[in-house]
Amino acid sequence: QGPRRGASGDLTDWLGKDYEAVLRTASESHPQLPLFAIGHSFGGQCVPLIPSRELLSGLVNIAVGSGAMRHNTAPIRRVAPLLWYLLVPLLCPVFGYFPGARLGLIGDVPSGAMRQWRRWCLSPDYLLSGEPGARQAYASARYPVLALTIADDEMLLESGSRLVHEAYAEGLVDYRLIEPGRFGLQRIGHS
């Protein structure tokens, strides 16, 4: 609501308020049913950090992995330093938000979210080392995870997906590499 300039909000707000509200509402609407989440990219990365994650009976992750530069594909790795070291630090203070839509990058994002995401992406183990308590949150999660990693993901490498999913306790993750050709498709990609 309101203007983008100076809009509050960061990734912690999105997962601690928005995602949290969805989980609680779904659980309260049908308390007798198991509750599963489907997470794509950030939507799966952040699940262990959600306060009510204990409500989950399971999680399906699609194209979820580390956004750290060392886990980016070569084309993304070439432009990531420009984004994280120049555009975000320069444009967020000037515009009061990240004007990604104008640049054809990501979309318009509140400055707080971009700064937090930048911290994660510049950390060697992404949110596991860039967000306080994240590694412990992953290790203490108790819901099973079906991890579907896309072989032709144009953004994330399989090594980054494995890094994130290996942070869960042993035995919780059913990890699968999805290759487009096995399903008669030429391409699946990140989205």
Side-chain angles (χ1 to χ4, degrees), residues 64-162:
V64 171
S66 165
M69 285 195 290
R70 70 187 182 110
H71 296 125
N72 293 152
T73 59
I76 299 297
R77 202 175 311 126
R78 283 192 291 276
V79 299
L82 175 67
L83 176 65
W84 300 127
Y85 290 111
L86 181 66
L87 296 178
V88 170
L90 178 67
L91 298 179
C92 285
V94 169
F95 288 89
Y97 67 99
F98 183 73
R102 293 181 191 189
L103 303 171
L105 295 169
I106 304 163
D108 294 340
V109 179
S111 292
M114 283 305 287
R115 283 192 301 271
Q116 189 174 11
W117 191 23
R118 177 182 186 270
R119 185 179 74 236
W120 292 5
C121 288
L122 295 179
S123 296
D125 291 334
Y126 191 55
L127 82 158
L128 296 172
S129 56
E131 185 64 24
R135 191 174 298 277
Q136 295 81 4
Y138 267 78
S140 63
R142 292 293 169 248
Y143 47 83
V145 180
L146 173 60
L148 305 176
T149 297
I150 311 303
D152 69 338
D153 191 320
E154 68 277 10
M155 296 181 68
L156 306 172
L157 296 175
E158 183 183 358
S159 60
S161 181
R162 289 197 179 274

